[in-house]
Amino acid sequence: MDSLIGALDAADYVVDPGLATALFLAVRLPQPVLLEGEPGVGKTEAAKALARALDTPLVRLQCYEGIDAAEALYEWNYPRQLLAIRMAEARDERLAENDLFTRDYLLRRPLLAALEHPGPRPAVLLIDELDRADDDFEAFTFELLAEAAVTIPELGTVTAVHPPIVVLTSNRTRDLHDALKRRCLYHWIDYPAPDRAAEIVRRRVPDSALPLTLDATAAVVRMRGLDLEKPPGIAETVDWVAALTLLGVPRLDAVPAELAVTTLGSVLKSREDLELVRAKGLGWLTGSSRA
């Protein structure tokens, strides 16, 4: 496991022992791993970093309401099939149905692409925000997760030669089915401690000043203590520090009040949240006073 931690570190992903263990087991058992946590804590980035660490392709399926199997698995290339029919007619030939439903006319979507990845290492398959998909689509993934296989009616069952390393993420907008959870390892990613958060931010914004990074991560912790609609995560903290760094700010208490208010849009994403933090004042934000 130490080698994986080292590889993730080299891939600029700061990982705690719990997540490192979950990812290590996902690779070595192998078994899908379900990562849950608040938005912006690094669930998606964990899969990306794992692919970089293993030097293997990342195949990402972004889930959304209404996604169906065709969009996730495969579609038939109907324009190409139609062209083949017309070319055959021009030659006074006749195509059988089996001639048109072969792999030559198959459009591979992310799930099939991950299963058919030729190796030598398995691909990392990220099924992102599965909680946004419908129950039916979630059930559709069971065969893939349990057997590393899918069924295409015209071609039969496709089984992976190199079963992908599967990372599923959820923001818990709805509860996932118990049958899916039974097939997965589970890990909850919490907000990192301020010192770890500052280290993550500095990895992502290497030209940022250390005092600014420490100030910003502490300020974000204060913001999360408010009753915000969308508490900021690590991703928003990175965006904020990147914006302040671009503006030449060395530390948070060196920011003019007007500029501080302007840049809050990098870290807060609703009018109500902005007004709540603005009402606290710059002194509260920088920790120099209590509101």
Side-chain angles (χ1 to χ4, degrees):
M1 192 169 74
D2 290 342
S3 63
L4 179 60
I5 294 175
L8 289 168
D9 185 75
D12 281 336
Y13 188 78
V14 181
V15 64
D16 62 44
L19 178 57
T21 302
L23 294 176
F24 175 77
L25 293 176
V27 173
R28 295 297 296 273
L29 282 176
Q31 187 175 1
V33 60
L34 171 61
L35 302 179
E36 286 195 328
E38 300 296 335
V41 294
K43 301 183 294 297
T44 300
E45 191 58 33
K48 293 179 179 178
L50 182 61
R52 294 197 300 271
L54 299 177
D55 192 22
T56 194
L58 173 77
V59 181
R60 179 176 182 175
L61 174 66
Q62 177 64 54
C63 297
Y64 53 88
E65 186 177 355
I67 188 173
D68 59 26
E71 294 164 292
L73 183 58
Y74 74 94
E75 288 182 281
W76 292 108
N77 191 335
Y78 295 119
R80 189 173 180 185
Q81 289 173 320
L82 183 59
L83 179 62
I85 292 171
R86 289 179 174 172
M87 290 179 66
E89 289 174 344
R91 296 193 299 268
D92 199 23
E93 297 174 357
R94 191 170 181 180
L95 291 177
E97 184 174 333
N98 288 342
D99 295 328
L100 294 172
F101 291 95
T102 68
R103 289 180 174 275
D104 290 339
Y105 299 97
L106 201 60
L107 294 175
R108 291 163 177 80
R109 301 308 185 198
L111 297 185
L112 186 59
L115 288 179
E116 293 194 332
H117 174 62
R121 295 173 179 165
V124 172
L125 172 60
L126 168 62
I127 302 178
D128 212 6
E129 299 184 334
L130 182 58
D131 52 317
R132 294 186 182 277
D134 301 328
D135 290 345
D136 289 346
F137 181 79
E138 183 185 331
F140 161 76
T141 65
F142 289 178
E143 181 185 12
L144 171 74
L145 298 180
E147 308 294 340
V150 293
T151 300
I152 300 176
E154 297 86 351
L155 299 178
T157 300
V158 176
T159 303
V161 176
H162 302 284
I165 301 162
V166 182
V167 178
L168 304 101
T169 73
S170 167
N171 292 327
R172 302 187 76 182
T173 57
R174 67 173 177 85
D175 288 334
L176 298 179
H177 199 282
D178 288 343
L180 180 128
K181 292 182 177 179
R182 283 198 300 272
R183 290 166 167 81
C184 299
L185 302 161
Y186 178 84
H187 183 75
W188 172 265
I189 301 181
D190 211 341
Y191 291 121
D195 57 341
R196 186 179 293 274
E199 184 181 357
I200 294 170
V201 172
R202 293 215 78 199
R203 293 288 188 97
R204 301 294 300 276
V205 192
D207 55 343
S208 61
L210 178 59
L212 172 65
T213 304
L214 295 173
D215 289 350
T217 51
V220 166
V221 171
R222 289 187 201 94
M223 292 183 204
R224 291 189 196 127
L226 302 176
D227 185 22
L228 299 178
E229 287 184 8
K230 297 181 179 179
I234 285 295
E236 288 78 14
T237 312
V238 169
D239 290 344
W240 193 25
V241 171
L244 291 168
T245 300
L246 182 64
L247 295 169
V249 176
R251 57 184 308 147
L252 203 55
D253 59 7
V255 183
E258 183 178 347
L259 182 58
V261 169
T262 303
T263 60
L264 281 176
S266 296
V267 75
L268 298 171
K269 305 300 177 181
S270 78
R271 177 184 176 184
E272 290 75 15
D273 288 351
L274 283 169
E275 290 178 346
L276 192 57
V277 172
R278 285 170 182 166
K280 289 290 185 180
L282 184 59
W284 176 85
L285 195 64
T286 60
S288 60
S289 67
R290 295 179 178 274

